[in-house]
């Protein structure tokens, strides 16, 4: 029984990791773009983005999942996601990417704005372009500063993926819960915790390594 | 022909006028010290020369070529980058790039701003400059491993690496304790002896008198007095200059 449960949970955890990895892949660059937008001088760009960030950070992710999945059908009469498991996964991914981009953008913004203006000016008087200053001077310093808040947020993401259950996306909790109905046992559900723990443990090690790698400068 | 000709530079921030019409010129190989109390506009003037601020009024010419005119067309970033390279800038807070070693700091700009850089030549030049700054044994150290005085000397080498026509110093020793001030002033004195064209904003009066050829005293956004350095500091003509210098004599 233990082996059957483990295998089933592992399969579910693959779904968890898929959602986790794809969310990161899309929301990291999107978050960087949003952070630039939220620091833009032009109000037409800045204020809509800040409004979006406020709405997304101010409402529960679970609610966002439901609205993104059911919203198009209810409000526009089109079921853009289809009825399949893949469609539900895509809807969940979109909700996660929007949500996490907003959180990441605020972390990026904090990191970028914490770099002293003297760093930019030193680059300018040395004849560097804006782009060179950002990529050759500022970026690594920003990364160093945002590793701790980023690792926090990314570890939260690991566990937040379980929310995708509300629109029936197959992930580990879903598989764990299935054993209650099928076999009348609850321990597989509790057992899922071990998977989360091990995975976030690995991430903690990874972020510790990155932090150490970047400790050569201050 | 003067290497630098500054004419009627004016600059306001919001409603506050910082520079009220600054004009001066200097010759190649000359070093000029700018003295004056905080808020007199010294730093803003240097920042205008380096295109970190845009003057509201006035012109700046280098070797007879006008590089800035407040009434001229707005310059493209590309053009500003080219023109500001007439000047080098050493900041009060050093502003070294923390993730690069001393040598990498000196090499970075020449490496990434030239089209087909000759890396070995850039490296050779960087090492020579750091050597000249007395930092041969510190080339591979990161800024946080260096003292303030050493960091400032790296910053000077970094500015020199681009071979500016005129090197500007914005209170280069104000962030240093007296012990470290000496080593930085010694380096600047060495540059003056080699006839490097320099503008030095400083609070070190003895240094200004002994090292620079000319001293400009600024107050309230105008040049109150300028002339040969010993004349201005030992025998000022203007009452305001006398008052200012008197506040230093007791120290």
């Amino acid at each position: 029984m233990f082996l059957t449960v483990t295998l089933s949970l592992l399969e579910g955890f693959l779904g968890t990791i898929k959602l986790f990895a794809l969310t990161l892949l899309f929301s990291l660059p999107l978050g960087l773009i949003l952070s630039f937008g939220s620091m833009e001088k032009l109000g037409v760009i800045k204020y809509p983005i800040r409004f979006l960030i406020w709405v997304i950070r101010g409402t529960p992710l679970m609610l966002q999942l439901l609205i993104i999945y059911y919203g198009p059908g209810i409000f526009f009469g089109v079921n853009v996601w289809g009825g399949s498991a893949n469609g539900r996964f895509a809807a969940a991914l979109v909700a996660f990417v929007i949500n996490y981009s907003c959180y990441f953008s605020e972390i990026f913004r904090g990191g970028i704005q914490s770099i002293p203006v003297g760093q930019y000016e030193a680059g300018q008087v040395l004849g560097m372009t804006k782009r060179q200053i950002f990529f050759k001077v500022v970026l690594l310093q920003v990364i160093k500063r945002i590793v701790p808040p980023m690792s926090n947020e990314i570890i939260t993401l690991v566990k937040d993926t379980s929310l995708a259950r509300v629109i029936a996306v197959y992930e580990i909790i879903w598989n764990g819960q299935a054993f209650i109905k099928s076999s009348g046992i609850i321990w597989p559900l509790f057992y899922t915790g071990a998977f989360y723990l091990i995975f976030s443990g690995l991430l903690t090690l990874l972020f510790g390594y990155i932090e150490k790698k970047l400790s050569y400068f201050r | 022909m003067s290497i630098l000709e500054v004419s009627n530079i004016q600059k306001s921030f919001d409603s506050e006028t910082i520079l009220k019409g600054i004009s001066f010129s200097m010759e190649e190989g000359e070093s000029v010290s700018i003295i004056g109390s905080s808020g007199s506009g010294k730093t803003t003037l240097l920042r205008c020369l380096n295109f970190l601020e845009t003057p509201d009024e006035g012109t700046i010419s280098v070797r007879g070529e006008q590089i800035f005119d407040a009434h001229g067309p707005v310059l493209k970033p590309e053009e500003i980058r080219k023109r500001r390279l007439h000047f080098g800038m050493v900041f009060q807070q050093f502003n070294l790039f923390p993730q690069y070693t001393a040598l990498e700091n000196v090499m970075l700009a020449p490496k990434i701003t030239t089209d087909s850089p000759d890396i070995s030549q850039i490296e050779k030049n960087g090492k020579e400059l750091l050597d000249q700054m007395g930092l041969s044994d510190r080339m591979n150290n990161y800024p946080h491993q260096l003292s303030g005085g050493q960091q400032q000397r790296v910053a000077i080498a970094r500015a020199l690496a681009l071979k500016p026509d005129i090197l500007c110093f914005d209170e280069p020793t104000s962030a240093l304790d007296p012990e470290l001030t000496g080593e930085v002033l010694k380096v600047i004195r060495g540059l003056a002896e080699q006839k490097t064209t320099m503008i030095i904003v400083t609070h070190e009066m003895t240094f200004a008198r002994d090292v620079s050829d000319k001293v400009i005293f600024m107050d309230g956004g105008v040049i109150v007095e300028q002339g040969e350095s010993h004349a201005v500091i030992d025998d000022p003509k203007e009452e305001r200059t006398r008052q200012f210098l008197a506040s230093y004599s007791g120290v």
Side-chain angles (χ1 to χ4, degrees):
Chain A
M1 191 65 197
F2 183 75
L3 190 67
T4 322
V5 169
T6 305
L7 285 176
S8 165
L9 292 188
L10 257 181
E11 195 198 328
F13 200 56
L14 271 180
T16 298
I17 287 182
K18 199 168 112 193
L19 184 56
F20 168 81
L22 287 174
T23 300
L24 276 189
L25 181 70
F26 292 114
S27 60
L28 285 172
L30 193 59
L32 189 62
I33 293 168
L34 283 178
S35 77
F36 285 134
S38 68
M39 289 184 287
E40 182 60 49
K41 282 189 204 87
L42 273 173
V44 218
I45 300 176
K46 179 170 79 180
Y47 293 114
I49 287 178
R50 293 212 170 169
F51 179 79
L52 173 78
I53 293 172
W54 171 62
V55 170
I56 295 298
R57 294 203 308 170
T59 54
L61 175 54
M62 190 187 280
L63 194 59
Q64 292 163 19
L65 276 161
L66 293 171
I67 290 173
I68 288 195
Y69 184 59
Y70 294 110
I74 291 168
F75 299 119
F76 307 108
V78 276
N79 185 359
V80 292
W81 306 112
S84 69
N86 278 339
R88 294 196 299 275
F89 181 85
L93 182 60
V94 168
F96 273 90
V97 167
I98 293 173
N99 185 277
Y100 272 81
S101 300
C102 287
Y103 278 98
F104 288 152
S105 84
E106 285 295 281
I107 295 178
F108 288 138
R109 188 171 67 86
I112 291 170
Q113 289 181 337
S114 74
I115 303 300
V117 67
Q119 291 289 308
Y120 292 91
E121 292 185 345
Q124 280 174 287
V125 299
L126 290 167
M128 297 182 197
T129 63
K130 269 188 172 171
R131 178 178 280 267
Q132 286 171 331
I133 294 171
F134 184 75
F135 285 105
K136 299 283 183 181
V137 175
V138 174
L139 186 61
L140 194 62
Q141 298 183 50
V142 171
I143 292 173
K144 182 186 169 77
R145 285 176 198 217
I146 64 174
V147 168
M150 273 307 227
S151 68
N152 229 345
E153 206 54 45
I154 289 173
I155 285 172
T156 303
L157 171 61
V158 178
K159 295 163 292 171
D160 272 359
T161 51
S162 61
L163 289 171
R165 237 184 92 260
V166 297
I167 54 170
V169 168
Y170 303 128
E171 43 71 66
I172 185 166
I173 300 260
W174 180 278
N175 284 21
Q177 218 172 9
F179 284 98
I180 300 177
K181 267 188 198 157
S182 64
S183 317
I185 46 173
I186 198 162
W187 64 263
L189 185 58
F190 300 159
Y191 180 27
T192 60
F195 289 79
Y196 286 109
L197 261 182
I198 289 168
F199 191 59
S200 50
L202 290 174
L203 285 174
T204 306
L205 288 177
L206 173 70
F207 286 115
Y209 174 78
I210 294 172
E211 228 172 289
K212 207 169 152 224
K213 268 276 162 192
L214 289 174
S215 66
Y216 74 90
F217 72 89
R218 266 175 221 159
Chain B
M1 188 193 299
S2 302
I3 191 164
L4 176 65
E5 184 101 40
V6 172
S7 174
N8 191 31
I9 291 292
Q10 297 180 24
K11 177 72 185 171
S12 300
F13 293 104
D14 299 322
S15 59
E16 202 180 354
T17 309
I18 303 296
L19 298 175
K20 299 175 182 163
I22 299 288
S23 303
F24 70 95
S25 67
M26 60 189 293
E27 302 305 316
E28 181 140 28
E30 247 184 358
S31 56
V32 173
S33 288
I34 304 179
I35 60 171
S37 42
S38 306
S40 59
K42 311 178 300 280
T43 295
T44 306
L45 177 59
L46 278 198
R47 292 174 61 84
C48 286
L49 294 179
N50 281 280
F51 291 83
L52 291 173
E53 308 288 354
T54 310
D56 307 321
E57 198 62 58
T59 60
I60 300 168
S61 301
V62 173
R63 296 184 204 280
E65 177 204 348
Q66 193 170 81
I67 62 162
F68 176 81
D69 177 6
H71 296 293
V74 177
L75 296 173
K76 292 199 184 81
E78 180 65 42
E79 195 55 35
I80 290 179
R81 268 203 309 285
K82 220 168 74 192
R83 295 185 184 197
R84 67 162 31 122
L85 288 178
H86 287 293
F87 297 90
M89 179 78 158
V90 174
F91 297 91
Q92 184 177 344
Q93 300 296 341
F94 331 133
N95 295 344
L96 291 183
F97 306 134
Q99 72 270 43
Y100 296 116
T101 63
L103 183 59
E104 287 166 348
N105 262 278
V106 177
M107 289 172 61
L108 182 67
K111 224 165 65 181
I112 66 175
T113 58
T114 32
D115 283 336
S116 45
D118 178 352
I119 303 289
S120 62
Q121 183 54 42
I122 290 170
E123 185 173 343
K124 186 166 157 272
N125 186 43
K127 283 180 173 165
E128 276 169 14
L129 283 168
L130 286 170
D131 202 30
Q132 191 189 340
M133 297 294 131
L135 293 168
S136 352
D137 54 342
R138 291 284 178 208
M139 296 196 188
N140 297 317
N141 286 102
Y142 289 94
H144 77 271
Q145 299 166 322
L146 301 172
S147 72
Q150 290 168 334
Q151 289 189 48
Q152 191 60 299
R153 284 184 281 153
V154 174
I156 295 172
R158 183 175 70 174
L160 285 170
L162 292 168
K163 303 184 178 66
D165 294 315
I166 300 150
L167 185 54
C168 302
F169 294 83
D170 183 17
E171 301 192 23
T173 59
S174 294
L176 302 173
D177 59 46
E179 221 170 315
L180 300 175
T181 297
E183 61 182 59
V184 171
L185 293 184
K186 205 176 113 195
V187 163
I188 302 176
R189 185 189 294 264
L191 292 172
E193 281 160 7
Q194 291 169 30
K195 296 290 168 204
T196 310
T197 313
M198 297 186 286
I199 302 175
I200 309 154
V201 167
T202 184
H203 290 294
E204 301 283 335
M205 295 307 143
T206 322
F207 176 81
R209 181 189 60 197
D210 297 343
V211 172
S212 43
D213 302 295
K214 233 169 79 179
V215 167
I216 292 175
F217 171 62
M218 281 178 69
D219 190 45
V222 296
I223 293 180
V224 175
E225 185 165 355
Q226 58 178 315
E228 193 270 324
S229 58
H230 285 84
V232 174
I233 291 189
D234 292 337
D235 185 21
K237 301 278 175 291
E238 300 291 329
E239 181 54 32
R240 184 67 194 94
T241 319
R242 252 176 257 144
Q243 280 174 5
F244 172 74
L245 289 167
S247 64
Y248 276 88
S249 59
V251 183

